[in-house]
């Protein structure tokens, strides 16, 4: 195959347009191309309002060597490519006495279970929450009526927390073994749109995802696996520093010599149980912040340089800034045309997330604006200090919103944060200088001025509240400084009429369950896995880690013979 990079076409284009451009680059007639496959698709909006769609494609021709020789001067754009298919390792020979148990059915647990089931291991998956369809009903009831189910909510249940966060699939994890591609292909086989195989920022959408997750579960069952819902694991059984099984909340004992902990990062009771069982863990850095909302048309205007064209999707963005104190402020889980959602999982504590449906056609766009925190920020010690830190923030968010999602205009939030900083030091800018920073450096765009009273788009009850009282002062100050810096290049982003909502506290796990090169804990047979265990930072990376742990188990053990 020949790979061609940087094929630029107009937003309104056809497959034939891509084919003709590819042929022109190769200096051959279009009918000489026998096959064409899109490898990557992205948007180039650097010279707005001139927008281009940029493709990388692989093509098959009858005269590959001759064409490559003629294109020697285009080495950066044209090259030969040999596709490397994902290969599951050869199965091990060590006998298993019992079928593997997987705790959790988020991306890590589902993909670990899928791969092991495909190889004949007939894994048993245990999920504290409910299956996807019932879980959706529970979540929607919570948003409408405020009735929170402890183990069936935005954080817990089949599909994991990513089910209600747009199911974005981009990852920065290096992938020399092809696990990323394998994840995407499995999702497509399960009903996800085929364009996730090549979109630069692939997503599925919460509405489509329900069926995809259910399909994965049905396939695991068809291969001989089991999936048990509303089955909370409350204890880990060990003997002679080796795992022997688990105990469930209803008192059942399940024996196994392999237990895979693919728990979600909100399974806080499980972390405390592991601490009691002296499973080695450590506190790790993660990030907290607020979710920021703008009119979707404003973000389209900023990113595309004018009104969105019919063939362009709702605009995305990824922004970063570094404060004068060295803290990194950045966007996370950006949801074009999406919603802020109440993602709470514990009574008396409010946590939020963002999600989009597949069409991404909501009136607003939102993103978490977050800042990295480390164990020194937690105000405590021990491996679970980060969980205690999260809980304090969530309790404050619940308090100021009286259980509803607290929302504040960015202008009011910013003014309160700067005023508090001014009280602490005489070196801060005067009020006049503050106003200059907002009005001159972050001059709102014309379209922003047209939406001074746009409404928040929140799933669940919300109220106007002092969001500036949730985070510690130093984190609030870092967010204001970072957002203002971003606003200097994205005019309108730091508009005073934007909204900030709180609190975004579950970006990733604040805990890492330690494992060695074999994937096992210091307790043999215990395999920490995925985002909750501290080895992933998103849906795709969690699924990839699930595949990795499946490989580790399978390369050591042979399937149980019954």
């Amino acid at each position: 195959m020949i790979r061609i990079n940087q094929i630029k076409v107009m937003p309104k284009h056809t497959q034939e347009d891509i084919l003709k451009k590819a042929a022109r680059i190769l200096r051959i007639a279009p009918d000489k191309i026998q096959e064409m496959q899109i490898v990557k698709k992205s948007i180039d909006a650097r010279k707005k309002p001139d927008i281009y769609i940029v493709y990388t494609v692989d093509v098959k021709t009858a005269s590959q060597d001759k064409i490559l020789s003629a294109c020697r001067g285009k080495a950066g754009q044209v090259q030969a490519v040999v596709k490397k298919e994902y290969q599951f390792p050869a199965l091990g020979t060590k006998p298993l006495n019992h079928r593997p148990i997987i705790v959790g059915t988020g991306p890590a647990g589902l993909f670990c279970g899928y791969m092991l089931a495909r190889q004949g291991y007939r894994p048993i998956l245990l999920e504290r929450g409910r299956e996807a369809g019932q879980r959706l009903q529970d979540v929607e009831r919570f948003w409408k009526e405020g009735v929170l189910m402890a183990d069936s909510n935005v954080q817990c249940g089949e599909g994991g927390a990513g089910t209600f966060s747009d199911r974005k699939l981009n990852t920065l994890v290096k992938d020399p073994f092809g696990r990323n591609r394998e994840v995407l292909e499995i999702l497509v086989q399960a009903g996800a749109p085929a364009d996730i195989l090549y979109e630069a920022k692939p997503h599925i959408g919460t509405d489509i995802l329900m069926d995809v997750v259910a399909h994965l579960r049905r396939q695991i069952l068809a291969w001989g696996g089991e999936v048990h819902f509303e089955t909370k694991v409350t204890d880990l059984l060990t003997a002679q520093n080796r795992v022997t099984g688990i105990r469930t909340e209803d008192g059942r004992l399940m024996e196994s010599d392999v237990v895979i902990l693919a728990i979600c990062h909100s399974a806080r009771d499980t972390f405390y149980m592991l601490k009691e069982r002296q499973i080695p863990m450590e506190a790790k850095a993660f990030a907290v912040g607020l979710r920021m909302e703008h009119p979707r048309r404003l973000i389209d205007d900023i990113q595309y340089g004018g009104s969105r064209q019919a063939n362009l999707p709702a605009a995305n963005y990824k922004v970063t800034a570094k404060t004068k104190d060295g803290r990194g402020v950045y966007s996370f889980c950006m949801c074009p045309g999406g919603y802020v959602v109440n993602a709470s999982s514990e009574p008396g504590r409010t946590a939020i997330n963002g999600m989009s449906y597949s069409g991404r056609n909501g009136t607003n766009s939102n993103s978490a604006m977050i800042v990295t925190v480390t164990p020194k920020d937690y105000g405590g010690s021990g491996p679970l200090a980060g969980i205690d830190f999260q809980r304090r923030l969530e309790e404050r968010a619940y308090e100021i919103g009286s259980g509803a999602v607290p929302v504040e205009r960015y202008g009011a939030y910013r003014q309160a944060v700067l005023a508090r900083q001014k009280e602490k030091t005489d070196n801060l800018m005067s009020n006049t200088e503050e106003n200059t920073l907002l009005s001159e450096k972050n001059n709102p765009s014309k379209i922003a001025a047209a939406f001074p009273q746009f409404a928040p788009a929140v799933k669940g009850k919300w109220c106007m509240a002092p969001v500036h009282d949730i985070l510690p002062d130093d984190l609030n100050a870092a967010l204001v400084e970072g957002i203002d810096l971003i606003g200097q290049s994205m005019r309108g982003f730091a508009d005073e009429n934007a909204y900030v909502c709180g609190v975004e506290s579950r970006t990733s796990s604040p805990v890492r369950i330690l494992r060695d090169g074999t994937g096992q804990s210091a307790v043999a047979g215990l395999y920490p896995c995925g985002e909750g265990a501290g080895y992933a930072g998103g849906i795709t990376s969690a699924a990839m880690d699930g595949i990795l742990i499946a490989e580790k188990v399978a390369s050591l053990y042979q399937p149980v013979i019954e």
Side-chain angles (χ1 to χ4, degrees):
M1 300 286 280
I2 299 176
R3 177 158 295 175
I4 310 171
N5 300 301
Q6 289 294 309
I7 299 177
K8 290 188 175 184
V9 294
M10 300 300 293
K12 188 176 182 179
H13 65 276
T14 65
Q15 192 88 346
E16 187 69 17
D17 294 328
I18 305 170
L19 182 68
K20 288 180 179 178
K21 281 253 184 176
R24 191 178 308 149
I25 292 169
L26 298 180
R27 300 171 184 167
I28 60 175
D31 61 5
K32 297 298 183 183
I33 294 179
Q34 301 170 345
E35 180 185 331
M36 183 179 75
Q37 180 181 12
I38 297 173
V39 176
K40 185 177 179 181
K41 175 185 176 184
S42 59
I43 298 173
D44 184 351
R46 291 173 296 177
K47 297 181 180 179
K48 54 183 81 68
D50 295 328
I51 311 292
Y52 296 96
I53 309 300
V54 183
Y55 287 94
T56 295
V57 301
D58 287 348
V59 300
K60 182 179 180 182
T61 70
S63 307
Q64 176 170 314
D65 292 342
K66 182 178 178 181
I67 291 171
L68 288 171
S69 178
C71 293
R72 283 195 302 268
K74 300 180 179 181
Q77 188 177 21
V78 179
Q79 63 262 321
V81 62
V82 177
K83 292 192 176 181
K84 183 179 179 181
E85 299 294 333
Y86 169 78
Q87 293 291 328
F88 198 80
L91 304 189
T93 58
K94 189 174 181 180
L96 270 174
N97 298 312
H98 305 280
R99 293 156 67 183
I101 291 175
I102 300 173
V103 183
T105 61
L110 275 177
F111 275 84
C112 186
Y114 185 97
M115 301 303 284
L116 287 176
R118 192 163 74 178
Q119 299 299 325
Y121 287 84
R122 298 180 298 119
I124 300 171
L125 281 71
L126 307 179
E127 169 57 55
R128 66 166 60 205
R130 304 177 78 179
E131 59 91 7
Q134 293 175 316
R135 180 187 178 201
L136 177 61
Q137 295 177 23
D138 296 335
V139 168
E140 290 183 337
R141 183 184 179 199
F142 170 58
W143 288 340
K144 292 177 182 177
E145 303 174 16
V147 179
L148 176 64
M149 293 192 66
D151 293 317
S152 183
N153 47 60
V154 173
Q155 304 292 343
C156 302
E158 185 179 28
T163 307
F164 294 95
S165 65
D166 196 35
R167 203 66 178 183
K168 285 170 283 293
L169 302 172
N170 45 300
T171 178
L172 299 178
V173 175
K174 292 183 179 179
D175 184 35
F177 301 103
R179 297 188 188 106
N180 186 1
R181 180 74 182 189
E182 183 72 2
V183 167
L184 298 179
E185 290 184 348
I186 290 171
L187 289 171
V188 170
Q189 292 165 14
D195 62 11
I196 67 172
L197 295 173
Y198 55 80
E199 288 282 356
K201 296 181 178 180
H203 78 106
I204 295 177
T206 295
D207 46 339
I208 295 176
L209 181 63
M210 296 297 167
D211 291 335
V212 172
V213 167
H215 186 282
L216 294 176
R217 181 220 314 152
R218 288 193 297 269
Q219 188 61 70
I220 291 171
L221 296 175
W223 284 329
E226 297 179 19
V227 183
H228 299 267
F229 295 108
E230 299 181 71
T231 304
K232 182 189 294 187
V233 173
T234 55
D235 203 0
L236 184 69
L237 308 179
T238 62
Q240 298 178 338
N241 206 37
R242 155 152 222 107
V243 72
T244 58
I246 56 90
R247 187 192 308 272
T248 63
E249 189 173 39
D250 59 6
R252 282 181 291 166
L253 299 180
M254 301 180 70
E255 292 183 297
S256 182
D257 15 25
V258 169
V259 174
I260 298 161
L261 285 177
I263 59 178
C264 74
H265 55 50
S266 296
R268 291 166 169 170
D269 51 357
T270 304
F271 286 114
Y272 280 93
M273 178 272 289
L274 294 173
K275 183 181 178 183
E276 289 180 6
R277 295 290 169 266
Q278 298 184 327
I279 303 302
M281 297 184 290
E282 65 182 11
K284 62 178 277 291
F286 67 113
V288 298
L290 308 170
R291 198 153 277 270
M292 195 166 187
E293 274 198 285
H294 301 87
R296 189 188 73 200
R297 285 178 58 188
L298 168 61
I299 299 302
D300 290 347
D301 179 58
I302 293 173
Q303 296 297 82
Y304 294 145
S307 299
R308 178 171 62 133
Q309 299 179 44
N311 291 72
L312 292 173
N316 213 316
Y317 63 78
K318 182 178 180 180
V319 292
T320 62
K322 180 170 282 191
T323 70
K324 60 181 180 296
D325 292 333
R327 282 194 184 267
V329 175
Y330 56 100
S331 60
F332 172 78
C333 186
M334 196 271 161
C335 300
Y339 301 85
V340 174
V341 302
N342 190 331
S344 303
S345 62
E346 295 178 327
R349 300 185 176 104
T350 297
I352 63 170
N353 202 345
M355 61 164 271
S356 300
Y357 296 114
S358 56
R360 290 182 161 181
N361 54 4
T363 58
N364 294 353
S365 292
N366 71 76
S367 177
M369 296 302 299
I370 54 177
V371 57
T372 300
V373 289
T374 65
K376 69 180 182 181
D377 295 304
Y378 301 159
S381 60
L384 306 185
I387 291 178
D388 296 335
F389 175 70
Q390 286 177 318
R391 281 177 161 168
R392 291 195 299 273
L393 298 182
E394 292 166 13
E395 287 164 4
R396 182 57 180 153
Y398 185 93
E399 179 184 355
I400 68 168
S402 299
V405 174
V407 179
E408 187 173 24
R409 292 279 187 181
Y410 178 65
Y413 167 80
R414 181 181 183 278
Q415 184 177 11
V417 171
L418 290 176
R420 192 167 292 170
Q421 290 298 106
K422 185 171 171 38
E423 291 175 3
K424 291 185 174 183
T425 175
D426 294 329
N427 295 328
L428 280 183
M429 60 187 71
S430 67
N431 288 333
T432 301
E433 290 171 327
E434 291 170 9
N435 292 334
T436 299
L437 180 62
L438 183 62
S439 63
E440 292 183 5
K441 291 186 177 180
N442 297 308
N443 182 31
S445 69
K446 293 179 181 179
I447 198 167
F451 291 94
Q453 300 301 324
F454 79 101
V458 180
K459 293 285 187 178
K461 295 180 181 179
W462 63 273
C463 66
M464 301 304 292
V467 173
H468 58 268
D469 280 340
I470 300 175
L471 297 171
D473 289 348
D474 57 336
L475 300 187
N476 274 327
L479 286 173
V480 166
E481 185 180 349
I483 291 170
D484 282 357
L485 286 170
I486 292 163
Q488 292 178 26
S489 57
M490 291 182 66
R491 294 301 177 93
F493 187 84
D495 184 80
E496 61 184 1
N497 291 310
Y499 291 107
V500 287
C501 315
V503 60
E504 183 88 18
S505 53
R506 313 276 184 97
T507 57
S508 63
S509 181
V511 184
R512 178 173 288 114
I513 307 171
L514 301 182
R515 71 188 190 194
D516 61 19
T518 70
Q520 299 178 74
S521 164
V523 175
L526 183 65
Y527 291 81
C529 176
E531 185 167 343
Y535 294 96
I539 294 165
T540 306
S541 59
M544 291 167 64
D545 199 59
I547 292 177
L548 170 65
I549 293 301
E551 294 170 357
K552 297 287 188 183
V553 171
S555 63
L556 183 60
Y557 295 101
Q558 60 180 324
V560 176
I561 300 174
E562 290 185 357

